[in-house]
C-alpha cells in the first residue's frame, strides 16, 4: 500500500486527528477521510504518516460488503 496524507489537523479538545489520505492498494486508487483518537498531537509529518498507516491498515483489514 502506497499513500500520502494530503491534509491533517489535530483537535486538542477532542484528542482527535482528522486526516485525508490518497494512494494505491492492490492496483486500486483510494481516498480516505477519517479521524483517529490521539492522546498527544503528532508534531511531525512522519508521526502523522504513522498514525494514518495504522488507521488505514485497520480499515483495509475489515471485510467489505462484497465479502473481500
Amino acid at each position: 500500500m502506497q499513500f500520502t496524507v494530503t491534509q491533517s489537523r489535530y483537535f486538542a479538545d477532542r484528542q482527535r486527528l482528522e486526516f485525508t489520505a490518497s494512494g494505491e492498494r492492490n492496483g486500486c486508487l483510494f481516498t480516505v477521510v477519517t479521524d483517529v483518537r490521539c492522546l498527544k498531537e503528532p508534531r511531525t509529518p512522519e508521526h502523522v504518516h504513522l498514525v494514518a498507516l495504522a488507521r488505514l491498515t485497520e480499515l483495509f483489514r475489515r471485510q467489505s460488503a462484497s465479502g473481500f
Side-chain angles (χ1 to χ4, degrees):
M1 172 172 43
Q2 297 178 5
F3 70 94
T4 57
V5 176
T6 55
Q7 185 227 2
S8 68
R9 63 181 165 174
Y10 182 74
F11 298 96
D13 57 329
R14 296 186 296 150
Q15 294 181 328
R16 304 297 280 183
L17 174 71
E18 187 177 274
F19 69 89
T20 304
S22 295
E24 181 182 351
R25 181 176 183 264
N26 297 334
C28 297
L29 298 176
F30 68 86
T31 299
V32 173
V33 179
T34 189
D35 65 340
V36 178
R37 182 164 187 223
C38 294
L39 299 178
K40 294 183 352 183
E41 179 179 2
R43 298 194 183 271
T44 66
E46 290 82 14
H47 289 155
V48 173
H49 185 84
L50 288 174
V51 170
L53 176 62
R55 179 67 173 144
L56 291 173
T57 301
E58 176 187 333
L59 288 173
F60 285 125
R61 279 193 181 152
R62 294 181 185 173
Q63 197 169 31
S64 69
S66 65
F68 294 102

